């Protein structure tokens, strides 16, 4: 009979985080980034001689103080969230769609063209055709970059950026030569037929029905990326392309499809801008949506679940920016500084968390 052996020491099992604690841990970097961004920007405003407290109060209250302000925020959110998803979906497979504004412009131009040429059609036919034209035009525009990437290995960042400049000329040609409206006062196409305009929800001022499309697209993106086989392959191809390829996932093909889908969403944003906001295609209607889409996608860390939430917060800042400039005199560009600081501090939190994790594992 062998002698009993001394019990061996084992490490205590790691206690899994409770759902609430996990949520707090995930939200903490965002809260800290927001607080630090507002603190730093507040110091900058104070040094420049502006009323920082009044500026922040104006930014954060404009969207909720009046019905018009809230409507403007929702209208802004529609385009921002679509451009953010256009950037985020290719980002999941480590591809960077920097052509969102070009895809928006081409989509808007195609939508305006259909709305003008077939303006006599009834709403039940014309409105879907206008939106579909925007989606297809955006997909084709991104498809050019996707083809160059998949077939010839051309970097998608370079091709999508260069295609943006081409899209400016496409819209300029349509607005000044093909469907020009000299009475508009700016480079713009003629107005689309009344049947091509999105209906307005609620009483005046009301928000256009494009918000329903944006909500549906956001929900579909969340479900597809998190609950379907296609979403699993997308995440696998982005997380470990080599392992994904060994297991039969066609990484290159997924990257091409992701880029085309991103272009389609940006094209839809352009069609909604035409049908729901301007009633025509206008030079400059892309504003700074490309930059906002990238900022939202990076702040959301490529997570489709967080994109709509972050996009709403950025929309609040953007709508409050112009009001801040009117009431307090702070340049509207200060909001871009705040957004950049949020992103910087969030990225710094990732760096710090990574170093702490490595130190704990050592």
């Amino acid at each position: 009979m062998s002698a009993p052996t001394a019990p061996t020491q084992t490490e205590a099992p790691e206690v899994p985080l409770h759902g609430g604690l996990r949520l707090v841990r995930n939200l903490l970097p965002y809260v800290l980034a927001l607080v630090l961004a507002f603190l730093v920007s507040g110091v900058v405003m104070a040094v420049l001689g502006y009323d920082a407290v009044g500026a922040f109060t104006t930014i954060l209250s404009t969207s909720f103080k009046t019905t018009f302000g809230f409507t403007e925020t929702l209208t802004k959110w529609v385009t921002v969230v679509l451009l953010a998803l256009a950037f985020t979906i290719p980002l999941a497979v480590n591809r960077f769609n920097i052509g969102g504004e070009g895809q928006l412009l081409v989509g808007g131009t195609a939508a305006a063209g259909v709305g003008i040429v077939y303006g006599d059609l009834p709403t039940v036919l014309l409105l879907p055709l206008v939106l579909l034209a925007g989606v297809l035009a955006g997909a084709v525009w991104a498809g050019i970059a996707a083809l160059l990437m998949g077939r010839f290995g051309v970097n998608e960042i370079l091709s999508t950026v260069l295609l943006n400049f081409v899209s400016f000329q496409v819209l300029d040609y349509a607005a000044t030569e093909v469907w020009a409206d000299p009475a508009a006062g700016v480079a713009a196409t003629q107005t689309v037929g009344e049947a091509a305009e999105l209906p307005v929800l609620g009483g005046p001022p009301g928000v256009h029905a494009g918000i329903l499309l944006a909500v549906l697209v956001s929900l579909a993106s969340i479900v597809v990326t998190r609950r379907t086989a296609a979403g699993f392959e997308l995440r696998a191809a982005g997380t470990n392309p080599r392992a994904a390829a060994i297991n039969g996932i066609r990484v290159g093909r997924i990257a091409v499809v992701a880029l085309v889908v991103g272009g389609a969403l940006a094209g839809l944003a352009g069609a909604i801008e035409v049908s729901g906001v301007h009633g025509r295609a206008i030079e400059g209607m892309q504003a700074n949506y490309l930059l906002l889409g990238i900022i939202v996608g990076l702040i959301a860390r490529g997570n489709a679940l967080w994109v709509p939430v972050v996009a709403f917060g950025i929309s609040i800042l953007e709508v409050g920016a112009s009001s801040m400039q009117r009431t307090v005199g702070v340049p509207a560009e200060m909001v871009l500084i705040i957004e950049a600081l949020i992103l910087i501090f969030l990225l710094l939190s990732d760096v710090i968390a990574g170093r702490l994790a490595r130190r704990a594992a050592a």
Side-chain angles (χ1 to χ4, degrees):
M1 187 172 181
S2 59
T5 59
T8 58
Q9 282 189 328
T10 59
E11 294 183 359
E14 184 179 353
V15 180
L17 288 175
H18 186 269
L21 292 176
R22 186 182 297 110
L23 180 62
V24 171
R25 186 185 66 178
N26 291 335
L27 287 178
L28 185 59
Y30 288 96
V31 175
L32 291 176
L34 279 170
V35 172
L36 290 173
F38 276 97
L39 282 176
V40 172
S41 57
V43 171
V44 172
M45 282 188 274
V47 170
L48 294 175
Y50 297 115
D51 179 10
V53 175
F56 291 146
T57 302
T58 301
I59 290 174
L60 299 177
S61 64
T62 299
S63 295
F64 306 101
K65 190 162 53 177
T66 64
T67 304
F68 178 79
F70 190 63
T71 299
E72 285 294 299
T73 301
L74 293 179
T75 302
K76 176 77 70 173
W77 176 83
V78 171
T79 307
V80 171
V81 75
L82 289 175
L83 265 293
L85 290 172
F87 175 78
T88 301
I89 290 175
L91 183 65
V93 69
N94 296 322
R95 294 295 184 269
F96 295 87
N97 179 18
I98 314 298
E101 65 178 348
Q103 294 146 17
L104 181 151
L105 288 177
V106 171
T109 303
V114 172
I116 294 168
V117 174
Y118 301 102
D120 293 332
L121 289 177
T123 301
V124 70
L125 292 177
L126 184 57
L127 185 55
L129 284 177
V130 165
L131 298 175
L132 181 61
V135 170
L136 292 178
V140 169
W141 206 247
I144 298 172
L147 176 64
L148 293 173
M149 175 188 69
R151 188 70 179 271
F152 304 104
V154 177
N155 187 285
E156 76 282 356
I157 298 176
L158 176 64
S159 58
T160 52
V161 167
L162 292 178
L163 282 169
N164 283 339
F165 294 100
V166 180
S167 70
F168 299 156
Q169 301 305 313
V170 171
L171 176 54
D172 179 76
Y173 181 71
T176 59
E177 299 291 339
V178 184
W179 300 300
D181 183 3
V186 294
T189 65
Q190 303 166 24
T191 57
V192 298
E194 188 176 344
E197 296 178 358
L198 285 164
V200 176
L201 304 178
V207 62
H208 59 71
I211 191 172
L212 300 180
L213 294 174
V215 170
L216 289 175
V217 168
S218 299
L219 292 176
S221 299
I222 294 170
V223 172
V224 170
T225 55
R226 297 171 66 92
R227 300 294 182 183
T228 66
F232 171 78
E233 292 183 350
L234 182 71
R235 297 195 308 273
T239 303
N240 194 328
R242 185 177 179 183
I246 292 174
N247 285 277
I249 296 176
R250 302 177 65 177
V251 177
R253 182 178 179 181
I254 289 176
V256 167
V257 172
L259 194 56
V260 171
V261 170
L265 295 181
L268 174 61
I272 290 175
E273 281 288 303
V274 169
S275 294
V277 180
H278 304 291
R280 64 177 82 205
I282 303 176
E283 280 193 358
M285 67 179 183
Q286 79 277 9
N288 58 342
Y289 284 122
L290 172 62
L291 177 61
L292 296 179
I294 293 174
I295 289 175
V296 170
L298 293 177
I299 291 178
R301 305 185 186 195
N303 190 334
L305 181 62
W306 284 102
V307 166
V309 179
V310 177
F312 186 70
I314 294 297
S315 299
I316 292 174
L317 293 178
E318 287 294 313
V319 171
S322 57
S323 179
M324 174 186 67
Q325 183 167 335
R326 291 193 307 269
T327 58
V328 188
V330 180
E333 288 74 17
M334 182 59 67
V335 165
L336 289 177
I337 296 177
I338 296 174
E339 293 163 356
L341 287 172
I342 294 172
L343 180 56
I344 290 171
F345 286 126
L346 193 60
L347 294 176
L348 283 176
S349 72
D350 289 341
V351 173
I352 294 171
R355 289 186 177 181
L356 292 175
R358 287 193 296 269
R359 184 175 298 178

